[in-house]
C-alpha cells in the first residue's frame, strides 16, 4: 500500500546510516523458508524430540505414513532417507517441527 511506497522512497533517498530507521515505518512481513529434499540426514529431530509439540506432530503423522517418522529420522538408514517417498514427508515434518519450536 501507500506505506510500502513511502518506505521504498525513504530507502532510495536515505543515506546508509538512515536505513536502520526504516524499521519504524511499517511492520515488516515475516517469511519462513523451509529446506527441501537433500537436507535430510540421519539424526534429524535429535534436538527436537523432547518437545511435546513435536512429539504430538510425530504421533499424528505415524498412522498416515505407516511408520514411526521419529524413529526413521533418528536411526535411518541414510539410503532409506534418500528415497523421495520417505524424504519428502520427513523434510515436511522437519519444517513443521521447526515452526512448532519457534512457537514455543
Amino acid at each position: 500500500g501507500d506505506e510500502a511506497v513511502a518506505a521504498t522512497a525513504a530507502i532510495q533517498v536515505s543515506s546508509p546510516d538512515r536505513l536502520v530507521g526504516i524499521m519504524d515505518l511499517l511492520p515488516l512481513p515475516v517469511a519462513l523458508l523451509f529446506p527441501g529434499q537433500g537436507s535430510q540426514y540421519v539424526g534429524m529431530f535429535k534436538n527436537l524430540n523432547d518437545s511435546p509439540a513435536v512429539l504430538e506432530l510425530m504421533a499424528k503423522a505415524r498412522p498416515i505414513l505407516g511408520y514411526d517418522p521419529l524413529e526413521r529420522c533418528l536411526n535411518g538408514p541414510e539410503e532409506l532417507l534418500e528415497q523421495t517417498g520417505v524424504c519428502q514427508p520427513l523434510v515436511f515434518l522437519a519444517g513443521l517441527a521447526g515452526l512448532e519450536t519457534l512457537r514455543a
Side-chain angles (χ1 to χ4, degrees), residues 4-77:
V5 172
T8 302
I11 289 172
Q12 292 173 350
V13 299
S14 295
S15 63
D17 60 327
R18 177 68 183 106
L19 290 180
V20 174
I22 200 72
M23 303 295 278
D24 299 325
L25 292 178
L26 59 124
L28 297 175
V30 174
L32 299 175
L33 301 176
F34 297 99
Q37 188 165 345
S39 61
Q40 75 280 1
Y41 60 94
V42 174
M44 287 190 328
F45 295 98
K46 169 174 71 170
N47 296 323
L48 298 175
N49 65 4
D50 60 347
S51 163
V54 172
L55 293 175
E56 180 180 350
L57 180 67
M58 294 297 146
K60 288 180 181 179
R62 189 177 304 123
I64 296 167
L65 295 174
Y67 58 84
D68 183 347
L70 185 57
E71 188 278 327
R72 181 100 11 119
C73 287
L74 293 174
N75 300 313

